[in-house]
Amino acid sequence: MAHELGHLVFEGWNDEAEFEKRSPDEIRADAFARHLLIPIEGVKEFLGDRESASEADLAAVVQRYLISPAIAAIAMRDAGYINQSTAQDWMRYRTPQIATRYGWSDHYAALQDDSDRLRAPQSLVARAVEGYAEGIVSAQVIATLRGVSVDAVLEDLEEAGVVPVQHEATDLSLEDFPEVDVDLSDLEGEGASP
């Protein structure tokens, strides 16, 4: 997503695909994404004043910034912690390999599970809850938005103290409604039944 945001920011995209080499627009979008996700100053602050970095440092950077080893290696190279050859070697790693080697595979699995979970837009759910509290939206609507059961929603709402307002029913007679003038003249004419 950060790469695509780079295209939007720079208004640079090429509809003609060049499969042999990456276009300057693609390279710029990659650089934008890298600097957005892992700023060089952030890497320097995180790793501190050291002459070089180890593979364990790579794992720590990947875990800290939630990025791929390839992006971490490029950032660490650009920050001066590793050379181009080491960066090339480290760019071949996959995150599950690094996580397993350095003891955070459970954390990586939890991050994967979290990223796989569907999330309803927070503002939409908040408005639905507000509507529920006003007595105009059902718990089923909130359950559908969140992708959970109605029972789970009702339990959450009850625990949060959200109770729908009970509006008093108003007894109206036909005289309480305004008179409506309906023009049915368009229905008359050719082919219309009387």
Side-chain angles (χ1 to χ4, degrees):
M1 290 175 66
H3 173 95
E4 298 308 325
L5 179 61
H7 283 306
L8 290 173
V9 166
F10 295 111
E11 296 181 359
W13 48 85
N14 188 351
D15 293 335
E16 298 175 21
E18 294 181 39
F19 296 107
E20 298 86 37
K21 63 179 185 160
R22 295 184 48 79
S23 72
D25 289 338
E26 290 298 314
I27 293 168
R28 181 175 54 193
D30 284 346
F32 174 85
R34 220 175 23 259
H35 292 294
L36 179 68
L37 298 173
I38 181 168
I40 299 303
E41 290 305 313
V43 174
K44 289 179 178 178
E45 185 177 314
F46 182 67
L47 292 177
D49 295 331
R50 61 183 81 190
E51 302 260 335
S52 63
S54 66
E55 198 176 271
D57 294 324
L58 172 69
V61 168
V62 168
Q63 186 178 19
R64 167 76 167 89
Y65 288 95
L66 303 176
I67 55 173
S68 71
I71 292 176
I74 293 168
M76 292 169 74
R77 178 203 63 206
D78 292 351
Y81 291 104
I82 59 174
N83 61 30
Q84 178 62 29
S85 174
T86 303
Q88 288 296 117
D89 289 343
W90 289 0
M91 289 172 69
R92 293 185 185 104
Y93 291 134
R94 292 180 19 256
T95 305
Q97 292 172 307
I98 294 291
T100 299
R101 284 185 186 171
Y102 293 95
W104 52 277
S105 57
D106 291 340
H107 182 232
Y108 177 69
L111 290 171
Q112 274 190 312
D113 290 343
D114 191 42
S115 72
D116 288 342
R117 184 192 307 149
L118 294 176
R119 289 177 183 80
Q122 182 177 342
S123 61
L124 182 60
V125 174
R127 289 184 65 187
V129 170
E130 187 178 321
Y132 175 81
E134 290 297 319
I136 56 176
V137 171
S138 71
Q140 178 61 60
V141 170
I142 299 169
T144 301
L145 286 172
R146 291 185 48 206
V148 298
S149 72
V150 175
D151 292 338
V153 167
L154 289 171
E155 185 178 315
D156 289 348
L157 291 169
E158 184 179 327
E159 187 176 308
V162 179
V163 180
V165 172
Q166 299 297 322
H167 296 285
E168 287 188 35
T170 305
D171 192 18
L172 298 173
S173 67
L174 195 54
E175 292 80 34
D176 293 327
F177 292 99
E179 192 171 316
V180 178
D181 184 27
V182 179
D183 182 9
L184 301 176
S185 63
D186 288 342
L187 299 177
E188 298 174 2
E190 232 177 275
S193 57

